[in-house]
PDB file of all heavy atoms in Angstrom:
ATOM      1  N   LEU A  13      26.488 -35.210   8.362  1.00  0.00           N
ATOM      2  CA  LEU A  13      27.194 -34.127   7.767  1.00  0.00           C
ATOM      3  C   LEU A  13      26.380 -33.371   6.678  1.00  0.00           C
ATOM      4  O   LEU A  13      26.430 -32.111   6.547  1.00  0.00           O
ATOM      5  CB  LEU A  13      28.542 -34.586   7.187  1.00  0.00           C
ATOM      6  CG  LEU A  13      29.492 -35.158   8.190  1.00  0.00           C
ATOM      7  CD1 LEU A  13      30.736 -35.818   7.461  1.00  0.00           C
ATOM      8  CD2 LEU A  13      30.007 -34.079   9.196  1.00  0.00           C
ATOM      9  N   THR A  14      25.661 -34.142   5.861  1.00  0.00           N
ATOM     10  CA  THR A  14      24.802 -33.506   4.843  1.00  0.00           C
ATOM     11  C   THR A  14      23.745 -32.614   5.456  1.00  0.00           C
ATOM     12  O   THR A  14      23.482 -31.508   4.990  1.00  0.00           O
ATOM     13  CB  THR A  14      24.194 -34.612   3.928  1.00  0.00           C
ATOM     14  OG1 THR A  14      25.147 -35.385   3.350  1.00  0.00           O
ATOM     15  CG2 THR A  14      23.352 -33.910   2.848  1.00  0.00           C
ATOM     16  N   GLY A  15      23.201 -33.135   6.559  1.00  0.00           N
ATOM     17  CA  GLY A  15      22.124 -32.349   7.230  1.00  0.00           C
ATOM     18  C   GLY A  15      22.691 -31.043   7.788  1.00  0.00           C
ATOM     19  O   GLY A  15      22.079 -29.971   7.686  1.00  0.00           O
ATOM     20  N   ILE A  16      23.911 -31.078   8.396  1.00  0.00           N
ATOM     21  CA  ILE A  16      24.503 -29.882   8.938  1.00  0.00           C
ATOM     22  C   ILE A  16      24.792 -28.861   7.844  1.00  0.00           C
ATOM     23  O   ILE A  16      24.553 -27.682   7.986  1.00  0.00           O
ATOM     24  CB  ILE A  16      25.768 -30.217   9.731  1.00  0.00           C
ATOM     25  CG1 ILE A  16      25.408 -31.023  10.974  1.00  0.00           C
ATOM     26  CG2 ILE A  16      26.516 -28.943  10.138  1.00  0.00           C
ATOM     27  CD1 ILE A  16      26.610 -31.476  11.740  1.00  0.00           C
ATOM     28  N   LEU A  17      25.288 -29.348   6.716  1.00  0.00           N
ATOM     29  CA  LEU A  17      25.602 -28.476   5.585  1.00  0.00           C
ATOM     30  C   LEU A  17      24.335 -27.783   5.082  1.00  0.00           C
ATOM     31  O   LEU A  17      24.294 -26.585   4.782  1.00  0.00           O
ATOM     32  CB  LEU A  17      26.274 -29.275   4.474  1.00  0.00           C
ATOM     33  CG  LEU A  17      27.773 -29.459   4.555  1.00  0.00           C
ATOM     34  CD1 LEU A  17      28.243 -30.470   3.439  1.00  0.00           C
ATOM     35  CD2 LEU A  17      28.488 -28.136   4.354  1.00  0.00           C
ATOM     36  N   LEU A  18      23.238 -28.578   4.940  1.00  0.00           N
ATOM     37  CA  LEU A  18      21.950 -28.055   4.440  1.00  0.00           C
ATOM     38  C   LEU A  18      21.374 -27.047   5.376  1.00  0.00           C
ATOM     39  O   LEU A  18      20.910 -25.981   4.966  1.00  0.00           O
ATOM     40  CB  LEU A  18      20.959 -29.268   4.157  1.00  0.00           C
ATOM     41  CG  LEU A  18      21.297 -30.120   3.029  1.00  0.00           C
ATOM     42  CD1 LEU A  18      20.240 -31.242   2.955  1.00  0.00           C
ATOM     43  CD2 LEU A  18      21.336 -29.313   1.697  1.00  0.00           C
ATOM     44  N   LEU A  19      21.425 -27.306   6.669  1.00  0.00           N
ATOM     45  CA  LEU A  19      20.805 -26.420   7.597  1.00  0.00           C
ATOM     46  C   LEU A  19      21.615 -25.093   7.717  1.00  0.00           C
ATOM     47  O   LEU A  19      21.049 -24.006   7.823  1.00  0.00           O
ATOM     48  CB  LEU A  19      20.590 -26.988   8.989  1.00  0.00           C
ATOM     49  CG  LEU A  19      21.757 -27.285   9.902  1.00  0.00           C
ATOM     50  CD1 LEU A  19      22.007 -26.105  10.758  1.00  0.00           C
ATOM     51  CD2 LEU A  19      21.418 -28.439  10.826  1.00  0.00           C
ATOM     52  N   SER A  20      22.973 -25.257   7.610  1.00  0.00           N
ATOM     53  CA  SER A  20      23.771 -24.044   7.642  1.00  0.00           C
ATOM     54  C   SER A  20      23.606 -23.168   6.423  1.00  0.00           C
ATOM     55  O   SER A  20      23.511 -21.977   6.542  1.00  0.00           O
ATOM     56  CB  SER A  20      25.290 -24.464   7.704  1.00  0.00           C
ATOM     57  OG  SER A  20      25.529 -25.201   8.883  1.00  0.00           O
ATOM     58  N   LEU A  21      23.471 -23.787   5.262  1.00  0.00           N
ATOM     59  CA  LEU A  21      23.213 -23.064   4.002  1.00  0.00           C
ATOM     60  C   LEU A  21      21.817 -22.448   4.135  1.00  0.00           C
ATOM     61  O   LEU A  21      21.638 -21.321   3.701  1.00  0.00           O
ATOM     62  CB  LEU A  21      23.244 -24.041   2.820  1.00  0.00           C
ATOM     63  CG  LEU A  21      22.947 -23.433   1.468  1.00  0.00           C
ATOM     64  CD1 LEU A  21      23.842 -22.248   1.177  1.00  0.00           C
ATOM     65  CD2 LEU A  21      23.020 -24.494   0.361  1.00  0.00           C
ATOM     66  N   PHE A  89      30.235 -23.048   9.307  1.00  0.00           N
ATOM     67  CA  PHE A  89      29.702 -23.070   7.983  1.00  0.00           C
ATOM     68  C   PHE A  89      28.777 -21.821   7.716  1.00  0.00           C
ATOM     69  O   PHE A  89      28.775 -21.281   6.626  1.00  0.00           O
ATOM     70  CB  PHE A  89      28.849 -24.344   7.772  1.00  0.00           C
ATOM     71  CG  PHE A  89      29.639 -25.594   7.526  1.00  0.00           C
ATOM     72  CD1 PHE A  89      29.262 -26.777   8.029  1.00  0.00           C
ATOM     73  CD2 PHE A  89      30.836 -25.511   6.791  1.00  0.00           C
ATOM     74  CE1 PHE A  89      29.985 -27.959   7.793  1.00  0.00           C
ATOM     75  CE2 PHE A  89      31.586 -26.644   6.589  1.00  0.00           C
ATOM     76  CZ  PHE A  89      31.180 -27.856   7.077  1.00  0.00           C
TER      77      PHE A  89
END
Side-chain angles (χ1 to χ4, degrees):
L13 294 175
T14 303
I16 293 175
L17 276 170
L18 289 178
L19 73 89
S20 300
L21 177 58
F89 285 144

